[in-house]
Amino acid sequence: LVIGVLALSVSISMMIRSTPASYGLELFEFDPFFNFRATEYILENGTDAYFNWIDEKSWHPYGRNVSETSQVTLHLTAASLYPLFNFGSSVYDFTILLPLVFGSLTAVVVFAFVRVLGGTTAGLFAALIFSISVPIFTRGLIGWFKSEPLGLFFAFLAIYLFVSGFKFNKGKISLIKLITAGFFLSIGLSAWGGILFFVIPIVLFY
């Protein structure tokens, strides 16, 4: 039943988020296309070149220091996953599909997080609500290669590990969970500035 409901949540989320594909598989708006260019630059030139890249096509006439002024984690994650999961697709098509995948899989992480707090039933309801939440899926549609889908995924994963580590005190295992939570929270912050909304309750907790 749990696996079935989670599969339903992910499927519903994918169906809703993929609706813009009826107009064609394209990136839309400026930022997603810039993030595609940055991902492509890493794959073609390597990470060292990326961290020294002054993009002369942006912020004319001075150029843009990309690694200092953009979501580095988004670019590095996409570039790292592309060789493993491209299945013969181009970098452009891969970046179109990536927000759809991460946005939909976040429903599973939401389930895990809420399950720790309120049990399995609450977790399943949370996953279903997340999958149909309008403010959430409108910022994670197919072609929306921006920071929110990846950032939310890392944020909920970090919060799940954080709460699980404290609630189930298992010594070294809990310590590993808390350290891993800090790691995902840090890289999540580099992927999406909205992670600060997840940091606030942790700070209040301490």
Side-chain angles (χ1 to χ4, degrees):
L1 178 63
V2 171
I3 294 173
V5 174
L6 287 178
L8 181 64
S9 300
V10 173
S11 300
I12 291 173
S13 185
M14 280 191 164
M15 289 172 62
I16 295 173
R17 292 168 187 267
S18 63
T19 49
S22 60
Y23 302 102
L25 284 175
E26 301 290 344
L27 294 170
F28 54 91
E29 295 196 20
F30 172 80
D31 287 346
F33 194 84
F34 171 78
N35 291 328
F36 151 70
R37 282 188 58 237
T39 302
E40 187 178 51
Y41 188 89
I42 295 173
L43 290 168
E44 292 179 351
N45 301 281
T47 54
D48 290 338
Y50 169 79
F51 282 105
N52 293 290
W53 180 28
I54 305 297
D55 181 18
E56 296 179 352
K57 293 184 178 180
S58 302
W59 297 358
H60 181 80
Y62 304 108
R64 173 181 181 176
N65 189 322
V66 176
S67 63
E68 292 184 1
T69 59
S70 56
Q71 292 86 10
V72 175
T73 297
L74 177 63
H75 304 155
L76 292 177
T77 301
S80 300
L81 293 177
Y82 177 74
L84 301 174
F85 301 105
N86 67 78
F87 302 114
S89 66
S90 66
V91 181
Y92 184 77
D93 290 339
F94 183 78
T95 55
I96 291 172
L97 295 171
L98 201 63
L100 169 71
V101 175
F102 270 111
S104 301
L105 289 179
T106 305
V108 179
V109 188
V110 169
F111 160 75
F113 165 54
V114 178
R115 185 185 191 185
V116 172
L117 293 176
T120 301
T121 303
L124 293 175
F125 272 111
L128 284 169
I129 292 171
F130 178 88
S131 66
I132 61 173
S133 174
V134 177
I136 298 294
F137 71 69
T138 52
R139 301 291 288 183
L141 296 168
I142 191 171
W144 184 261
F145 185 47
K146 289 187 68 174
S147 51
E148 290 93 337
L150 182 64
L152 280 172
F153 180 83
F154 284 149
F156 276 111
L157 184 58
I159 292 294
Y160 158 69
L161 292 168
F162 180 80
V163 174
S164 178
F166 270 107
K167 191 168 183 180
F168 306 110
N169 188 1
K170 295 182 179 179
K172 291 182 179 180
I173 295 177
S174 291
L175 179 62
I176 292 172
K177 284 184 177 180
L178 294 175
I179 293 173
T180 309
F183 169 76
F184 280 114
L185 205 62
S186 299
I187 63 172
L189 190 59
S190 173
W192 179 48
I195 295 287
L196 286 172
F197 290 106
F198 291 81
V199 174
I200 291 172
I202 294 177
V203 172
L204 292 175
F205 171 80
Y206 278 115

